[in-house]
Amino acid sequence: MKLFNFKGERVFTPGPVEIPDRIREVLGRQIIHHRTKEFTEAFLETRELFKRLVDCTSENFVFFASSGTGAMEASVQNFFNPGEKVLAVVGGKFGERWAELGRTWGLEVVELQVEWGKSVDPDQVEDILNKNPEIKGVLVQMSESSTGAYHDVKTLAKITKDRDTLLVVDAITALGVYNMKPHEWGLDVVVGGSQKAFMLPPGLSMLCSPKRRKKG
Ligand SMILES: *Cc1c(COP(=O)(O)O)cnc(C)c1O
């Protein structure tokens, strides 16, 4: 059986992107033991550097050994209770994923359909939240990679800030590309992945949450 049939083809996707040689060289080195002081120091330093990169000063910054979708799923599971209502902005493949994850974990998902390729109209979001004050979260992409559309999360945060509604931002392709100020803007949860602008292999995701919300 051929376990590995990699012939070094080119990768033409929004991510995973091709890994630059200087990163592949580091990945080719011997590992360090994960229960040593050396590893702890490298881990904590990497965490601080990532926090700086995504401008997250919160202690609520976690890495997951998962794809980006894993961190999306973790935010759906950990910030909401089954039966709660959320609004998913669906303007492409990844917006559809938010809606699907929400339903999978028992949330009542209201979908705001946005024409593919277009950005969501913040007034529409505000209108839905005004009519449905029980909505506990807005799930949105900052960059909807499947179409290239940018959703203006800074303006959306102005709408969610003074409500009991968390703004959960999939920034998997936005981090490292767009300037983003989670604390200043009032983004409640920001999710990232390793294989897009960070130019790392897939399998590492991150979640930054400037705000804490108690469940229950
Ligand atoms: C790539 C991407 C994902 C999915 O990431 P995986 O690591 O493949 O799970 C989710 N959202 C956006 C916006 C993406 O670009």
Side-chain angles (χ1 to χ4, degrees):
M1 185 171 63
K2 261 198 210 131
L3 281 177
F4 212 66
N5 193 21
F6 183 67
K7 295 198 271 321
E9 290 99 342
R10 307 298 306 265
V11 184
F12 292 110
T13 66
V17 295
E18 291 180 6
I19 311 294
D21 288 349
R22 64 187 168 82
I23 294 174
R24 290 196 294 137
E25 278 157 20
V26 174
L27 292 168
R29 288 186 201 159
Q30 189 51 276
I31 61 157
I32 50 174
H33 193 301
H34 66 299
R35 298 295 171 197
T36 55
K37 191 162 165 273
E38 193 187 359
F39 178 83
T40 303
E41 280 168 4
F43 180 84
L44 292 176
E45 190 189 345
T46 306
R47 189 168 172 272
E48 286 313 307
L49 290 171
F50 257 101
K51 282 172 66 172
R52 205 189 302 165
L53 192 61
V54 308
D55 208 8
C56 176
T57 53
S58 166
E59 273 313 299
N60 302 328
F61 181 97
V62 243
F63 283 125
F64 294 99
S66 76
S67 66
T69 306
M72 290 170 77
E73 185 162 8
S75 56
V76 165
Q77 258 187 299
N78 287 281
F79 290 98
F80 304 102
N81 292 303
E84 284 181 347
K85 208 185 245 191
V86 292
L87 176 67
V89 174
V90 181
K93 255 349 252 182
F94 295 109
E96 285 179 350
R97 191 165 298 178
W98 270 140
E100 191 185 338
L101 284 169
R103 282 191 293 270
T104 302
W105 288 100
L107 309 184
E108 194 186 322
V109 180
V110 178
E111 292 189 23
L112 171 53
Q113 294 290 338
V114 176
E115 189 187 333
W116 286 37
K118 295 261 158 50
S119 304
V120 69
D121 175 1
D123 290 343
Q124 246 185 315
V125 173
E126 185 165 25
D127 189 48
I128 294 172
L129 294 182
N130 284 341
K131 289 183 181 137
N132 304 271
E134 71 282 13
I135 287 179
K136 292 289 180 202
V138 175
L139 314 177
V140 66
Q141 272 63 41
M142 182 163 175
S143 157
E144 171 52 82
S145 324
S146 66
T147 68
Y150 176 82
H151 294 313
D152 182 0
V153 296
K154 186 180 177 184
T155 300
L156 293 181
K158 288 186 185 140
I159 299 163
T160 51
K161 219 168 63 185
D162 299 321
R163 299 172 197 254
D164 183 23
T165 305
L166 293 178
L167 182 59
V168 183
V169 178
D170 165 3
I172 293 174
T173 38
L175 287 181
V177 175
Y178 291 114
N179 184 19
M180 177 185 237
K181 305 240 166 266
H183 296 265
E184 196 182 306
W185 296 356
L187 311 181
D188 299 304
V189 182
V190 176
V191 170
S194 53
Q195 79 276 29
K196 308 277 167 75
F198 297 133
M199 306 193 89
L200 298 169
L204 183 75
S205 64
M206 60 220 70
L207 190 154
C208 157
S209 173
K211 190 159 92 184
R212 249 176 229 266
R213 172 169 176 252
K214 282 210 189 83
K215 271 197 162 197

